[in-house]
Amino acid sequence: MNTIPVKQVEAGAGEYRKLTVNIFRHNPQDENSVPHMDTFEVEEADSMTLFILLNEIRENQDPTVQFDFVCRAGICGSCAMLVNGRPKLACRTLTQELPQVLNLAPLPGFELIGDLSVNTGKWMRNMSEHLETWIHNREQERDFCDLEEKMEPEVADKIYELERCVECGCCIAACGTAQMRSDFVGAVGINQLARFKIDPRDDRTDADFYEVLGTEEGVFGCMTLLGCDDMCPKELPLAQQIAYMRRKMALAEV
């Protein structure tokens, strides 16, 4: 695929640009479909996001353009895509902050559904099942009518910070290891296990975490390029969590 040049043209006060939008098109279910780029022109509007721009294209120019969205508020993570080569959430990206020529492509590392739509849910489910990203408690039976155990506010704040991950896939798309190794759990997986590592309700030991994370497909496969930390739309401390879990796994007694 030829690289389409990107030219930066700033809009002046009260001015709106005519945006040139190059969108990756391919339907893997159609044996006759050939990957290519389609070009559209859209007049920029005030406070326009990529989500609004794509809806404008689908409603007025080509109803077959495929892309995902649910919440439109940066919470569901569905609308992640490559924008001029960088993973972003379409609903949180203003066109006024981008060049006049936009190249949109699907996130790499995930199964392509069509055009800009990828199956992040399948990847995230496989990762979650592999890492067992749920609270492990060795008590045989629990009374769910009991009051929840108290937790220190500082610990709850740390857990909440890591729970803000929306599993958008931007960290996987920005990860060199994930593009070379399909079994790499990525920053999203490491972050999730770090969240359970600090949760006092989880009974697992460092040795237990090592069984699922202390491998080349886990934390030791990370090349520390930190594209995940740079590209996370929620600005999670992913580099910090990778370093934390790598240190814990290196010292684990197994």
Side-chain angles (χ1 to χ4, degrees):
M1 184 184 301
N2 294 328
T3 302
I4 300 174
V6 176
K7 182 179 180 182
Q8 179 75 51
V9 178
E10 298 291 344
E15 297 179 1
Y16 296 108
R17 304 170 296 176
K18 179 159 287 189
L19 303 175
T20 300
V21 188
N22 302 300
I23 299 179
F24 175 87
R25 306 300 303 275
H26 178 49
N27 180 4
Q29 305 302 319
D30 182 359
E31 60 182 16
N32 297 318
S33 177
V34 177
H36 64 284
M37 302 292 281
D38 277 352
T39 300
F40 305 89
E41 288 193 346
V42 179
E43 184 174 343
E44 193 173 30
D46 187 39
S47 301
M48 174 180 272
T49 63
L50 282 179
F51 165 76
I52 295 174
L53 178 145
L54 286 167
N55 270 285
E56 178 77 14
I57 291 174
R58 189 153 67 179
E59 290 176 7
N60 298 314
Q61 298 189 48
D62 188 342
T64 67
V65 174
Q66 296 185 64
F67 63 95
D68 297 321
F69 69 92
V70 177
C71 73
R72 297 167 290 178
I75 298 173
C76 70
S78 299
C79 63
M81 61 186 65
L82 289 187
V83 182
N84 292 343
R86 300 169 72 88
K88 295 179 178 290
L89 293 180
C91 68
R92 295 290 297 273
T93 302
L94 294 171
T95 59
Q96 67 189 40
E97 299 172 351
L98 299 171
Q100 188 172 8
V101 178
L102 306 178
N103 300 319
L104 307 183
L107 292 183
F110 300 98
E111 178 185 339
L112 179 66
I113 296 175
D115 299 344
L116 304 177
S117 175
V118 295
N119 195 344
T120 53
K122 179 180 179 180
W123 192 97
M124 295 296 173
R125 181 182 179 89
N126 289 338
M127 176 274 296
S128 181
E129 291 178 348
H130 171 67
L131 295 180
E132 300 182 6
T133 56
W134 54 83
I135 289 178
H136 288 55
N137 192 293
R138 290 185 171 83
E139 291 185 24
Q140 296 298 317
E141 295 184 4
R142 295 188 64 87
D143 186 351
F144 292 100
C145 293
D146 287 347
L147 294 176
E148 187 173 355
E149 297 177 11
K150 292 183 179 180
M151 184 183 299
E152 292 298 325
E154 296 80 8
V155 177
D157 286 343
K158 290 180 180 179
I159 292 174
Y160 171 75
E161 172 69 6
L162 304 187
E163 282 280 12
R164 292 193 300 108
C165 173
V166 296
E167 298 187 354
C168 61
C170 286
C171 62
I172 300 302
C175 175
T177 303
Q179 302 313 309
M180 295 186 292
R181 298 188 54 136
S182 60
D183 58 356
F184 182 57
V185 300
V188 58
I190 297 170
N191 178 75
Q192 287 198 19
L193 278 198
R195 171 255 182 271
F196 289 105
K197 179 74 177 67
I198 64 178
D199 194 320
R201 298 166 296 181
D202 197 305
D203 293 335
R204 282 176 288 184
T205 64
D206 287 351
D208 294 326
F209 285 109
Y210 186 91
E211 289 297 317
V212 294
L213 199 62
T215 63
E216 286 296 312
E217 65 187 48
V219 72
F220 294 123
C222 173
M223 298 187 293
T224 323
L225 300 176
L226 302 184
C228 57
D229 196 78
D230 291 338
M231 293 293 104
C232 177
K234 307 300 285 188
E235 299 183 349
L236 294 175
L238 297 178
Q240 177 182 337
Q241 303 316 310
I242 292 171
Y244 169 71
M245 292 305 290
R246 179 178 284 169
R247 182 171 62 252
K248 289 295 184 180
M249 296 303 95
L251 298 176
E253 297 181 4
V254 295

